[in-house]
Short mmCIF file of all heavy atoms in Angstrom, two decimals:
data_model
loop_
_atom_site.label_atom_id
_atom_site.label_comp_id
_atom_site.label_asym_id
_atom_site.label_seq_id
_atom_site.Cartn_x
_atom_site.Cartn_y
_atom_site.Cartn_z
N MET A 23 49.97 -16.03 -34.56
CA MET A 23 49.98 -17.35 -35.06
C MET A 23 48.66 -18.09 -34.83
O MET A 23 48.12 -18.01 -33.83
CB MET A 23 51.11 -18.11 -34.38
CG MET A 23 51.30 -19.57 -34.87
SD MET A 23 52.88 -19.64 -35.72
CE MET A 23 52.86 -21.27 -36.22
N VAL A 24 48.10 -18.65 -35.85
CA VAL A 24 46.78 -19.28 -35.73
C VAL A 24 46.94 -20.74 -35.52
O VAL A 24 47.76 -21.48 -36.21
CB VAL A 24 45.99 -19.13 -37.06
CG1 VAL A 24 44.68 -19.81 -37.02
CG2 VAL A 24 45.83 -17.69 -37.47
N THR A 25 46.32 -21.29 -34.39
CA THR A 25 46.45 -22.73 -34.11
C THR A 25 45.55 -23.48 -35.12
O THR A 25 44.58 -23.01 -35.80
CB THR A 25 45.92 -22.94 -32.73
OG1 THR A 25 44.57 -22.56 -32.55
CG2 THR A 25 46.70 -22.14 -31.68
N ARG A 26 45.64 -24.78 -35.14
CA ARG A 26 44.96 -25.71 -36.02
C ARG A 26 43.40 -25.70 -35.68
O ARG A 26 42.63 -25.66 -36.51
CB ARG A 26 45.49 -27.07 -35.90
CG ARG A 26 44.86 -28.09 -36.76
CD ARG A 26 45.55 -29.39 -36.83
NE ARG A 26 44.92 -30.35 -37.68
CZ ARG A 26 44.40 -31.59 -37.32
NH1 ARG A 26 44.39 -31.84 -36.01
NH2 ARG A 26 43.73 -32.18 -38.13
N ILE A 27 43.12 -25.70 -34.35
CA ILE A 27 41.81 -25.70 -33.87
C ILE A 27 41.05 -24.40 -34.30
O ILE A 27 39.92 -24.37 -34.76
CB ILE A 27 41.64 -25.96 -32.37
CG1 ILE A 27 42.09 -27.45 -32.15
CG2 ILE A 27 40.29 -25.78 -31.92
CD1 ILE A 27 42.28 -27.72 -30.63
N GLU A 28 41.72 -23.29 -34.13
CA GLU A 28 41.21 -21.98 -34.48
C GLU A 28 40.94 -21.91 -36.08
O GLU A 28 39.91 -21.39 -36.44
CB GLU A 28 42.18 -20.88 -34.11
CG GLU A 28 41.47 -19.43 -34.11
CD GLU A 28 42.53 -18.45 -33.56
OE1 GLU A 28 43.70 -18.70 -33.58
OE2 GLU A 28 41.99 -17.35 -33.32
N LEU A 29 41.80 -22.48 -36.76
CA LEU A 29 41.67 -22.39 -38.28
C LEU A 29 40.47 -23.32 -38.65
O LEU A 29 39.65 -22.98 -39.54
CB LEU A 29 42.90 -22.91 -38.91
CG LEU A 29 42.89 -22.96 -40.49
CD1 LEU A 29 42.79 -21.51 -41.03
CD2 LEU A 29 44.23 -23.57 -40.90
N GLN A 30 40.36 -24.48 -37.94
CA GLN A 30 39.28 -25.44 -38.29
C GLN A 30 37.98 -24.74 -37.94
O GLN A 30 36.95 -24.89 -38.68
CB GLN A 30 39.38 -26.69 -37.48
CG GLN A 30 38.37 -27.75 -37.79
CD GLN A 30 38.67 -28.99 -36.99
OE1 GLN A 30 39.36 -28.99 -36.15
NE2 GLN A 30 37.82 -30.03 -37.24
N GLY A 31 37.86 -23.97 -36.89
CA GLY A 31 36.65 -23.25 -36.48
C GLY A 31 36.31 -22.21 -37.47
O GLY A 31 35.17 -22.02 -37.81
N ARG A 32 37.28 -21.52 -37.99
CA ARG A 32 37.02 -20.57 -38.97
C ARG A 32 36.46 -21.17 -40.25
O ARG A 32 35.63 -20.59 -40.92
CB ARG A 32 38.28 -19.71 -39.31
CG ARG A 32 38.71 -18.80 -38.26
CD ARG A 32 40.04 -17.97 -38.67
NE ARG A 32 40.40 -17.16 -37.54
CZ ARG A 32 41.50 -16.45 -37.63
NH1 ARG A 32 42.31 -16.40 -38.69
NH2 ARG A 32 41.81 -15.60 -36.62
N VAL A 33 37.06 -22.25 -40.75
CA VAL A 33 36.64 -22.90 -41.89
C VAL A 33 35.18 -23.45 -41.73
O VAL A 33 34.30 -23.35 -42.73
CB VAL A 33 37.58 -24.08 -42.32
CG1 VAL A 33 37.01 -24.93 -43.45
CG2 VAL A 33 38.94 -23.44 -42.74
N THR A 34 34.83 -24.00 -40.60
CA THR A 34 33.51 -24.56 -40.26
C THR A 34 32.62 -23.30 -40.32
O THR A 34 31.37 -23.43 -40.82
CB THR A 34 33.54 -25.25 -39.03
OG1 THR A 34 34.49 -26.32 -39.01
CG2 THR A 34 32.19 -25.80 -38.73
N MET A 35 32.87 -22.31 -39.63
CA MET A 35 32.03 -21.10 -39.68
C MET A 35 31.78 -20.51 -41.02
O MET A 35 30.69 -20.11 -41.44
CB MET A 35 32.62 -19.98 -38.68
CG MET A 35 31.66 -18.94 -38.37
SD MET A 35 30.22 -19.69 -37.50
CE MET A 35 28.95 -18.40 -37.75
N ALA A 36 32.81 -20.60 -41.87
CA ALA A 36 32.62 -20.10 -43.27
C ALA A 36 31.71 -21.01 -44.00
O ALA A 36 30.89 -20.49 -44.86
CB ALA A 36 34.02 -20.05 -43.98
N PHE A 37 31.69 -22.29 -43.73
CA PHE A 37 30.76 -23.24 -44.42
C PHE A 37 29.41 -22.91 -43.96
O PHE A 37 28.41 -22.89 -44.83
CB PHE A 37 31.23 -24.65 -44.10
CG PHE A 37 30.22 -25.59 -44.74
CD1 PHE A 37 30.18 -25.86 -46.06
CD2 PHE A 37 29.28 -26.30 -43.99
CE1 PHE A 37 29.22 -26.73 -46.63
CE2 PHE A 37 28.41 -27.23 -44.38
CZ PHE A 37 28.37 -27.47 -45.79
N ILE A 38 29.18 -22.76 -42.64
CA ILE A 38 27.76 -22.47 -42.18
C ILE A 38 27.24 -21.16 -42.86
O ILE A 38 26.09 -21.09 -43.15
CB ILE A 38 27.77 -22.42 -40.56
CG1 ILE A 38 28.05 -23.82 -40.09
CG2 ILE A 38 26.49 -21.89 -40.13
CD1 ILE A 38 28.34 -23.88 -38.65
N LYS A 39 28.09 -20.14 -42.91
CA LYS A 39 27.70 -18.83 -43.50
C LYS A 39 27.41 -19.06 -44.95
O LYS A 39 26.53 -18.36 -45.52
CB LYS A 39 28.76 -17.79 -43.25
CG LYS A 39 28.83 -17.24 -41.76
CD LYS A 39 29.63 -16.07 -41.70
CE LYS A 39 31.22 -16.29 -42.07
NZ LYS A 39 32.04 -15.19 -41.69
N ALA A 40 28.05 -20.01 -45.59
CA ALA A 40 27.98 -20.13 -47.06
C ALA A 40 26.65 -20.75 -47.47
O ALA A 40 26.21 -20.78 -48.55
CB ALA A 40 29.13 -20.93 -47.60
N LEU A 41 26.06 -21.51 -46.43
CA LEU A 41 24.76 -22.29 -46.80
C LEU A 41 23.60 -21.30 -47.11
O LEU A 41 22.86 -21.63 -48.05
CB LEU A 41 24.36 -23.11 -45.58
CG LEU A 41 25.22 -24.33 -45.28
CD1 LEU A 41 24.80 -24.91 -43.92
CD2 LEU A 41 25.14 -25.39 -46.38
N PHE A 42 23.52 -20.13 -46.52
CA PHE A 42 22.54 -19.21 -46.87
C PHE A 42 22.59 -18.62 -48.22
O PHE A 42 21.60 -18.67 -48.92
CB PHE A 42 22.43 -18.19 -45.75
CG PHE A 42 22.15 -18.71 -44.40
CD1 PHE A 42 23.10 -18.77 -43.43
CD2 PHE A 42 20.87 -19.21 -44.08
CE1 PHE A 42 22.82 -19.31 -42.15
CE2 PHE A 42 20.60 -19.75 -42.96
CZ PHE A 42 21.52 -19.84 -41.93
N PRO A 43 23.75 -18.07 -48.67
CA PRO A 43 23.78 -17.60 -50.03
C PRO A 43 23.74 -18.66 -51.10
O PRO A 43 23.21 -18.40 -52.15
CB PRO A 43 25.06 -16.79 -50.06
CG PRO A 43 25.85 -16.99 -48.89
CD PRO A 43 24.86 -17.65 -47.89
N GLY A 44 24.17 -19.88 -50.76
CA GLY A 44 24.10 -20.94 -51.66
C GLY A 44 22.64 -21.34 -51.88
O GLY A 44 22.24 -21.59 -52.96
N ALA A 45 21.81 -21.34 -50.84
CA ALA A 45 20.40 -21.67 -50.86
C ALA A 45 19.62 -20.53 -51.61
O ALA A 45 18.84 -20.95 -52.50
CB ALA A 45 19.86 -21.91 -49.54
N LEU A 46 19.98 -19.37 -51.40
CA LEU A 46 19.33 -18.22 -52.02
C LEU A 46 19.59 -18.21 -53.56
O LEU A 46 18.75 -18.08 -54.42
CB LEU A 46 19.70 -16.92 -51.38
CG LEU A 46 19.04 -15.59 -51.91
CD1 LEU A 46 17.64 -15.66 -51.68
CD2 LEU A 46 19.72 -14.40 -51.31
N LEU A 47 20.82 -18.44 -53.84
CA LEU A 47 21.20 -18.45 -55.32
C LEU A 47 20.52 -19.58 -55.93
O LEU A 47 19.99 -19.48 -57.13
CB LEU A 47 22.75 -18.56 -55.44
CG LEU A 47 23.17 -18.57 -56.99
CD1 LEU A 47 22.92 -17.33 -57.64
CD2 LEU A 47 24.73 -18.85 -56.98
N THR A 48 20.48 -20.78 -55.35
CA THR A 48 19.84 -21.93 -55.92
C THR A 48 18.39 -21.64 -56.11
O THR A 48 17.76 -22.02 -57.24
CB THR A 48 20.10 -23.16 -55.07
OG1 THR A 48 21.48 -23.42 -54.89
CG2 THR A 48 19.36 -24.38 -55.65
N TRP A 49 17.74 -21.15 -55.14
CA TRP A 49 16.25 -20.92 -55.23
C TRP A 49 15.97 -19.88 -56.31
O TRP A 49 14.95 -20.08 -57.07
CB TRP A 49 15.85 -20.32 -53.81
CG TRP A 49 14.34 -20.01 -53.76
CD1 TRP A 49 13.39 -20.87 -53.83
CD2 TRP A 49 13.74 -18.77 -53.52
NE1 TRP A 49 12.15 -20.22 -53.78
CE2 TRP A 49 12.39 -18.91 -53.51
CE3 TRP A 49 14.34 -17.52 -53.26
CZ2 TRP A 49 11.41 -17.84 -53.25
CZ3 TRP A 49 13.43 -16.48 -53.12
CH2 TRP A 49 11.98 -16.52 -53.05
N ILE A 50 16.77 -18.85 -56.48
CA ILE A 50 16.44 -17.80 -57.56
C ILE A 50 16.72 -18.42 -58.95
O ILE A 50 15.84 -18.30 -59.79
CB ILE A 50 17.30 -16.52 -57.31
CG1 ILE A 50 16.86 -15.83 -56.06
CG2 ILE A 50 17.28 -15.57 -58.53
CD1 ILE A 50 17.83 -14.69 -55.62
N VAL A 51 17.85 -19.03 -59.10
CA VAL A 51 18.23 -19.58 -60.46
C VAL A 51 17.27 -20.73 -60.81
O VAL A 51 16.75 -20.78 -61.96
CB VAL A 51 19.67 -19.95 -60.50
CG1 VAL A 51 19.99 -20.79 -61.80
CG2 VAL A 51 20.60 -18.78 -60.31
N ALA A 52 17.07 -21.62 -59.94
CA ALA A 52 16.17 -22.74 -60.18
C ALA A 52 14.70 -22.24 -60.45
O ALA A 52 13.98 -22.83 -61.28
CB ALA A 52 16.14 -23.74 -59.14
N GLY A 53 14.34 -21.18 -59.76
CA GLY A 53 12.98 -20.65 -59.95
C GLY A 53 12.81 -20.04 -61.35
O GLY A 53 11.76 -20.27 -62.00
N VAL A 54 13.82 -19.33 -61.77
CA VAL A 54 13.75 -18.73 -63.01
C VAL A 54 13.83 -19.77 -64.22
O VAL A 54 12.95 -19.72 -65.15
CB VAL A 54 14.93 -17.73 -63.29
CG1 VAL A 54 15.01 -17.31 -64.74
CG2 VAL A 54 14.74 -16.54 -62.37
N ILE A 55 14.72 -20.72 -64.11
CA ILE A 55 14.85 -21.69 -65.09
C ILE A 55 13.58 -22.69 -65.07
O ILE A 55 13.02 -23.04 -66.10
CB ILE A 55 16.11 -22.45 -64.94
CG1 ILE A 55 17.43 -21.53 -65.29
CG2 ILE A 55 16.25 -23.67 -66.05
CD1 ILE A 55 18.68 -22.13 -64.97
N GLY A 56 13.26 -23.16 -63.94
CA GLY A 56 12.19 -24.05 -63.84
C GLY A 56 10.81 -23.49 -64.17
O GLY A 56 9.95 -24.19 -64.72
N SER A 57 10.55 -22.25 -63.92
CA SER A 57 9.34 -21.66 -64.26
C SER A 57 9.14 -21.50 -65.77
O SER A 57 7.92 -21.43 -66.28
CB SER A 57 9.18 -20.29 -63.76
OG SER A 57 10.12 -19.33 -64.33
N ARG A 58 10.19 -21.61 -66.53
CA ARG A 58 10.13 -21.67 -68.02
C ARG A 58 9.81 -23.05 -68.57
O ARG A 58 9.79 -23.24 -69.77
CB ARG A 58 11.39 -21.10 -68.61
CG ARG A 58 11.80 -19.76 -68.13
CD ARG A 58 11.03 -18.79 -68.86
NE ARG A 58 11.44 -17.41 -68.41
CZ ARG A 58 10.68 -16.31 -68.39
NH1 ARG A 58 9.36 -16.36 -68.64
NH2 ARG A 58 11.14 -15.23 -68.02
N GLY A 59 9.80 -24.03 -67.68
CA GLY A 59 9.41 -25.40 -68.13
C GLY A 59 10.75 -26.27 -68.42
O GLY A 59 10.54 -27.37 -68.93
N SER A 60 11.90 -25.75 -68.14
CA SER A 60 13.06 -26.40 -68.46
C SER A 60 13.59 -27.17 -67.24
O SER A 60 13.41 -26.83 -66.05
CB SER A 60 14.21 -25.51 -68.93
OG SER A 60 15.51 -26.13 -69.13
N SER A 61 14.36 -28.33 -67.49
CA SER A 61 14.89 -29.11 -66.37
C SER A 61 16.29 -28.61 -66.09
O SER A 61 16.96 -29.11 -65.13
CB SER A 61 14.82 -30.53 -66.63
OG SER A 61 15.69 -30.81 -67.77
N GLY A 62 16.75 -27.77 -66.92
CA GLY A 62 18.17 -27.25 -66.64
C GLY A 62 19.35 -28.12 -67.05
O GLY A 62 20.46 -27.95 -66.67
N GLY A 63 18.96 -29.27 -67.74
CA GLY A 63 20.07 -30.14 -68.18
C GLY A 63 20.67 -30.90 -67.05
O GLY A 63 19.99 -31.59 -66.37
N MET A 64 21.99 -30.66 -66.81
CA MET A 64 22.69 -31.34 -65.80
C MET A 64 22.27 -30.84 -64.40
O MET A 64 22.60 -31.41 -63.47
CB MET A 64 24.21 -31.13 -65.97
CG MET A 64 24.67 -32.00 -67.08
SD MET A 64 26.43 -31.88 -67.36
CE MET A 64 27.00 -32.61 -65.86
N LEU A 65 21.56 -29.61 -64.35
CA LEU A 65 21.24 -29.16 -63.05
C LEU A 65 20.07 -29.96 -62.41
O LEU A 65 19.76 -29.93 -61.28
CB LEU A 65 20.73 -27.66 -63.20
CG LEU A 65 21.85 -26.70 -63.58
CD1 LEU A 65 21.23 -25.22 -63.77
CD2 LEU A 65 23.01 -26.65 -62.55
N THR A 66 19.29 -30.59 -63.27
CA THR A 66 18.19 -31.41 -62.84
C THR A 66 17.32 -30.67 -61.87
O THR A 66 17.13 -31.02 -60.70
CB THR A 66 18.52 -32.81 -62.26
OG1 THR A 66 19.36 -32.66 -61.14
CG2 THR A 66 19.34 -33.66 -63.23
N ILE A 67 16.62 -29.66 -62.42
CA ILE A 67 15.81 -28.78 -61.62
C ILE A 67 14.45 -29.53 -61.43
O ILE A 67 13.84 -30.03 -62.36
CB ILE A 67 15.61 -27.43 -62.20
CG1 ILE A 67 16.92 -26.65 -62.29
CG2 ILE A 67 14.53 -26.57 -61.52
CD1 ILE A 67 16.89 -25.43 -62.96
N GLU A 68 13.97 -29.65 -60.19
CA GLU A 68 12.80 -30.40 -59.80
C GLU A 68 11.81 -29.43 -59.24
O GLU A 68 12.03 -28.55 -58.66
CB GLU A 68 13.13 -31.49 -58.79
CG GLU A 68 14.14 -32.40 -59.16
CD GLU A 68 14.66 -33.28 -58.00
OE1 GLU A 68 14.25 -33.04 -56.87
OE2 GLU A 68 15.39 -34.19 -58.20
N HIS A 69 10.44 -29.75 -59.45
CA HIS A 69 9.43 -28.95 -58.86
C HIS A 69 9.06 -29.74 -57.57
O HIS A 69 8.63 -30.87 -57.58
CB HIS A 69 8.20 -28.97 -59.81
CG HIS A 69 7.15 -28.04 -59.32
ND1 HIS A 69 6.02 -28.49 -58.75
CD2 HIS A 69 7.09 -26.65 -59.28
CE1 HIS A 69 5.23 -27.43 -58.48
NE2 HIS A 69 5.88 -26.33 -58.70
N ILE A 70 9.25 -29.02 -56.41
CA ILE A 70 9.10 -29.62 -55.18
C ILE A 70 7.91 -29.03 -54.33
O ILE A 70 7.73 -27.85 -54.47
CB ILE A 70 10.29 -29.62 -54.28
CG1 ILE A 70 11.44 -30.35 -54.94
CG2 ILE A 70 10.06 -30.13 -52.83
CD1 ILE A 70 12.76 -30.13 -54.36
N THR A 71 7.07 -29.78 -53.69
CA THR A 71 6.04 -29.23 -52.83
C THR A 71 6.29 -29.66 -51.39
O THR A 71 6.53 -30.89 -51.14
CB THR A 71 4.64 -29.82 -53.22
OG1 THR A 71 4.45 -29.38 -54.61
CG2 THR A 71 3.49 -29.19 -52.41
N MET A 72 6.42 -28.69 -50.53
CA MET A 72 6.82 -28.96 -49.13
C MET A 72 5.87 -28.05 -48.26
O MET A 72 5.78 -26.81 -48.45
CB MET A 72 8.21 -28.66 -48.86
CG MET A 72 8.66 -29.00 -47.43
SD MET A 72 10.41 -28.64 -47.24
CE MET A 72 11.20 -29.61 -48.47
N ALA A 73 5.10 -28.76 -47.38
CA ALA A 73 4.16 -28.09 -46.46
C ALA A 73 3.31 -27.10 -47.14
O ALA A 73 3.05 -25.97 -46.67
CB ALA A 73 5.07 -27.32 -45.35
N GLY A 74 2.76 -27.50 -48.38
CA GLY A 74 1.78 -26.76 -49.06
C GLY A 74 2.43 -25.64 -49.88
O GLY A 74 1.66 -24.94 -50.60
N HIS A 75 3.63 -25.51 -49.93
CA HIS A 75 4.36 -24.53 -50.81
C HIS A 75 5.21 -25.26 -51.77
O HIS A 75 5.88 -26.24 -51.56
CB HIS A 75 5.39 -23.71 -49.97
CG HIS A 75 4.70 -22.89 -48.78
ND1 HIS A 75 3.96 -21.81 -49.11
CD2 HIS A 75 4.67 -23.13 -47.50
CE1 HIS A 75 3.44 -21.36 -48.00
NE2 HIS A 75 3.90 -22.07 -46.92
N SER A 76 5.12 -24.82 -53.07
CA SER A 76 5.82 -25.41 -54.13
C SER A 76 6.91 -24.43 -54.64
O SER A 76 6.68 -23.23 -54.65
CB SER A 76 4.91 -25.90 -55.26
OG SER A 76 4.19 -24.73 -55.83
N PHE A 77 8.03 -25.03 -55.06
CA PHE A 77 9.12 -24.29 -55.60
C PHE A 77 10.03 -25.22 -56.42
O PHE A 77 9.90 -26.44 -56.46
CB PHE A 77 9.91 -23.63 -54.42
CG PHE A 77 10.44 -24.61 -53.38
CD1 PHE A 77 11.76 -25.12 -53.45
CD2 PHE A 77 9.66 -24.99 -52.31
CE1 PHE A 77 12.26 -26.01 -52.57
CE2 PHE A 77 10.15 -25.95 -51.39
CZ PHE A 77 11.45 -26.39 -51.39
N TYR A 78 10.98 -24.53 -57.14
CA TYR A 78 11.84 -25.36 -57.90
C TYR A 78 13.17 -25.43 -57.16
O TYR A 78 13.66 -24.47 -56.55
CB TYR A 78 12.13 -24.70 -59.37
CG TYR A 78 10.87 -24.77 -60.17
CD1 TYR A 78 10.04 -23.71 -60.26
CD2 TYR A 78 10.65 -25.85 -60.84
CE1 TYR A 78 8.86 -23.73 -60.94
CE2 TYR A 78 9.51 -25.89 -61.72
CZ TYR A 78 8.55 -24.83 -61.69
OH TYR A 78 7.50 -24.95 -62.50
N TRP A 79 13.91 -26.63 -57.25
CA TRP A 79 15.23 -26.80 -56.54
C TRP A 79 16.09 -27.69 -57.33
O TRP A 79 15.70 -28.56 -58.11
CB TRP A 79 14.80 -27.50 -55.23
CG TRP A 79 16.04 -27.50 -54.34
CD1 TRP A 79 16.81 -28.49 -54.00
CD2 TRP A 79 16.58 -26.36 -53.53
NE1 TRP A 79 17.77 -28.20 -53.08
CE2 TRP A 79 17.70 -26.92 -52.87
CE3 TRP A 79 16.25 -25.06 -53.43
CZ2 TRP A 79 18.49 -26.08 -51.98
CZ3 TRP A 79 17.01 -24.27 -52.65
CH2 TRP A 79 18.10 -24.77 -51.93
N SER A 80 17.44 -27.54 -57.13
CA SER A 80 18.37 -28.22 -57.80
C SER A 80 19.53 -28.61 -56.83
O SER A 80 20.13 -27.67 -56.35
CB SER A 80 18.93 -27.61 -59.02
OG SER A 80 20.12 -28.29 -59.44
N TRP A 81 19.67 -29.93 -56.49
CA TRP A 81 20.73 -30.14 -55.45
C TRP A 81 22.09 -29.96 -56.03
O TRP A 81 22.94 -29.46 -55.30
CB TRP A 81 20.61 -31.62 -55.01
CG TRP A 81 19.50 -31.69 -54.05
CD1 TRP A 81 18.27 -32.31 -54.14
CD2 TRP A 81 19.49 -31.16 -52.70
NE1 TRP A 81 17.43 -32.23 -53.14
CE2 TRP A 81 18.18 -31.51 -52.16
CE3 TRP A 81 20.29 -30.51 -51.87
CZ2 TRP A 81 17.82 -31.13 -50.87
CZ3 TRP A 81 19.91 -30.12 -50.63
CH2 TRP A 81 18.68 -30.45 -50.14
N SER A 82 22.32 -30.22 -57.32
CA SER A 82 23.70 -30.06 -57.95
C SER A 82 24.01 -28.54 -57.97
O SER A 82 25.17 -28.18 -57.73
CB SER A 82 23.80 -30.67 -59.34
OG SER A 82 22.67 -30.15 -60.13
N LEU A 83 23.06 -27.72 -58.15
CA LEU A 83 23.25 -26.28 -58.22
C LEU A 83 23.54 -25.83 -56.79
O LEU A 83 24.35 -24.97 -56.59
CB LEU A 83 22.05 -25.51 -58.79
CG LEU A 83 22.16 -24.00 -58.83
CD1 LEU A 83 23.31 -23.58 -59.65
CD2 LEU A 83 20.90 -23.44 -59.45
N PHE A 84 22.85 -26.33 -55.77
CA PHE A 84 22.98 -25.94 -54.45
C PHE A 84 24.45 -26.28 -53.90
O PHE A 84 25.08 -25.51 -53.30
CB PHE A 84 21.92 -26.70 -53.61
CG PHE A 84 22.19 -26.45 -52.13
CD1 PHE A 84 21.86 -25.21 -51.44
CD2 PHE A 84 22.64 -27.54 -51.23
CE1 PHE A 84 22.11 -25.01 -50.09
CE2 PHE A 84 22.84 -27.31 -49.92
CZ PHE A 84 22.57 -26.04 -49.33
N ILE A 85 24.95 -27.46 -54.30
CA ILE A 85 26.29 -27.90 -53.92
C ILE A 85 27.21 -26.96 -54.51
O ILE A 85 28.24 -26.51 -53.85
CB ILE A 85 26.49 -29.39 -54.24
CG1 ILE A 85 25.56 -30.25 -53.40
CG2 ILE A 85 27.97 -29.70 -54.12
CD1 ILE A 85 25.51 -31.68 -53.81
N ALA A 86 27.12 -26.65 -55.85
CA ALA A 86 28.09 -25.82 -56.53
C ALA A 86 27.96 -24.37 -55.96
O ALA A 86 29.15 -23.82 -55.71
CB ALA A 86 27.75 -25.77 -58.06
N ALA A 87 26.81 -23.79 -55.76
CA ALA A 87 26.75 -22.44 -55.22
C ALA A 87 27.24 -22.35 -53.76
O ALA A 87 27.88 -21.36 -53.41
CB ALA A 87 25.31 -22.01 -55.26
N THR A 88 27.03 -23.37 -52.95
CA THR A 88 27.51 -23.33 -51.68
C THR A 88 28.99 -23.54 -51.62
O THR A 88 29.72 -22.81 -50.82
CB THR A 88 26.83 -24.55 -50.71
OG1 THR A 88 25.45 -24.34 -50.78
CG2 THR A 88 27.37 -24.47 -49.40
N GLY A 89 29.59 -24.39 -52.44
CA GLY A 89 31.06 -24.47 -52.60
C GLY A 89 31.72 -23.18 -52.96
O GLY A 89 32.68 -22.69 -52.50
N LEU A 90 31.07 -22.48 -53.98
CA LEU A 90 31.57 -21.14 -54.34
C LEU A 90 31.57 -20.10 -53.22
O LEU A 90 32.53 -19.43 -53.02
CB LEU A 90 30.76 -20.60 -55.57
CG LEU A 90 31.09 -19.28 -56.07
CD1 LEU A 90 32.52 -19.24 -56.70
CD2 LEU A 90 30.13 -18.84 -57.09
N ALA A 91 30.41 -20.07 -52.54
CA ALA A 91 30.31 -19.07 -51.37
C ALA A 91 31.35 -19.45 -50.25
O ALA A 91 31.85 -18.65 -49.61
CB ALA A 91 28.86 -19.18 -50.89
N TRP A 92 31.40 -20.84 -50.08
CA TRP A 92 32.32 -21.24 -49.00
C TRP A 92 33.81 -20.85 -49.33
O TRP A 92 34.50 -20.41 -48.47
CB TRP A 92 32.26 -22.80 -48.84
CG TRP A 92 32.97 -23.45 -47.75
CD1 TRP A 92 33.56 -22.73 -46.66
CD2 TRP A 92 33.31 -24.74 -47.58
NE1 TRP A 92 34.20 -23.67 -45.74
CE2 TRP A 92 34.03 -24.82 -46.38
CE3 TRP A 92 33.08 -25.89 -48.29
CZ2 TRP A 92 34.49 -26.08 -45.95
CZ3 TRP A 92 33.49 -27.14 -47.81
CH2 TRP A 92 34.23 -27.13 -46.63
N GLY A 93 34.15 -20.98 -50.63
CA GLY A 93 35.50 -20.56 -50.94
C GLY A 93 35.68 -19.11 -50.83
O GLY A 93 36.62 -18.67 -50.35
N LEU A 94 34.69 -18.27 -51.18
CA LEU A 94 34.81 -16.86 -51.08
C LEU A 94 34.88 -16.44 -49.62
O LEU A 94 35.71 -15.58 -49.17
CB LEU A 94 33.65 -16.11 -51.73
CG LEU A 94 33.58 -16.24 -53.23
CD1 LEU A 94 32.23 -15.69 -53.81
CD2 LEU A 94 34.78 -15.46 -53.83
N PHE A 95 34.01 -17.01 -48.69
CA PHE A 95 34.10 -16.62 -47.32
C PHE A 95 35.33 -17.12 -46.63
O PHE A 95 35.85 -16.44 -45.74
CB PHE A 95 32.82 -17.29 -46.54
CG PHE A 95 31.65 -16.56 -46.81
CD1 PHE A 95 30.40 -17.26 -47.03
CD2 PHE A 95 31.59 -15.15 -46.69
CE1 PHE A 95 29.26 -16.63 -47.25
CE2 PHE A 95 30.33 -14.54 -46.99
CZ PHE A 95 29.12 -15.25 -47.17
N THR A 96 35.91 -18.23 -47.06
CA THR A 96 37.20 -18.72 -46.53
C THR A 96 38.30 -17.75 -46.92
O THR A 96 39.25 -17.41 -46.11
CB THR A 96 37.48 -20.14 -46.99
OG1 THR A 96 36.41 -21.03 -46.59
CG2 THR A 96 38.84 -20.65 -46.39
N ILE A 97 38.34 -17.32 -48.22
CA ILE A 97 39.31 -16.37 -48.67
C ILE A 97 39.30 -15.11 -47.91
O ILE A 97 40.24 -14.48 -47.54
CB ILE A 97 39.30 -16.21 -50.18
CG1 ILE A 97 39.75 -17.41 -50.85
CG2 ILE A 97 40.07 -14.92 -50.62
CD1 ILE A 97 39.44 -17.46 -52.37
N MET A 98 38.05 -14.58 -47.71
CA MET A 98 37.86 -13.30 -47.05
C MET A 98 38.30 -13.29 -45.56
O MET A 98 38.54 -12.22 -44.99
CB MET A 98 36.45 -12.76 -47.12
CG MET A 98 36.05 -12.41 -48.51
SD MET A 98 34.42 -11.67 -48.69
CE MET A 98 33.43 -12.27 -47.43
N ASP A 99 38.34 -14.54 -44.96
CA ASP A 99 38.56 -14.58 -43.49
C ASP A 99 40.10 -14.43 -43.27
O ASP A 99 40.97 -14.47 -43.47
CB ASP A 99 38.02 -15.82 -42.91
CG ASP A 99 37.93 -15.71 -41.43
OD1 ASP A 99 37.92 -14.64 -40.92
OD2 ASP A 99 37.82 -16.80 -40.78
#
């Protein structure tokens, strides 16, 4: 039997693990779409410069990708 606190810890850990594949998927997809000069429509892909490095990023895509990965990690646990 799983206690409530143990279940909450598993869901939180699944979310933390989901941040990495969500960021990686966002970086790859936004980089491919943004390098072609498109804004991605509703994805609103932006060209960002941080600490001398520039890349393309989309917060809406990051949230969707992280949510998808979080759901998959939660189901697998």
Side-chain angles (χ1 to χ4, degrees):
M23 183 113 183
V24 178
T25 64
R26 182 174 181 241
I27 294 173
E28 193 176 15
L29 181 63
Q30 184 179 7
R32 286 183 183 177
V33 171
T34 303
M35 192 62 197
F37 176 72
I38 292 169
K39 288 191 293 188
L41 290 172
F42 298 107
L46 181 64
L47 179 65
T48 302
W49 181 62
I50 291 170
V51 171
V54 169
I55 295 174
S57 67
R58 304 284 184 209
S60 176
S61 66
M64 290 182 64
L65 295 178
T66 60
I67 295 173
E68 306 168 350
H69 188 256
I70 297 174
T71 303
M72 184 180 298
H75 301 284
S76 62
F77 57 94
Y78 292 96
W79 190 258
S80 169
W81 284 108
S82 55
L83 180 59
F84 174 71
I85 291 169
T88 302
L90 177 64
W92 186 15
L94 290 173
F95 283 135
T96 303
I97 289 171
M98 289 188 331
D99 198 20

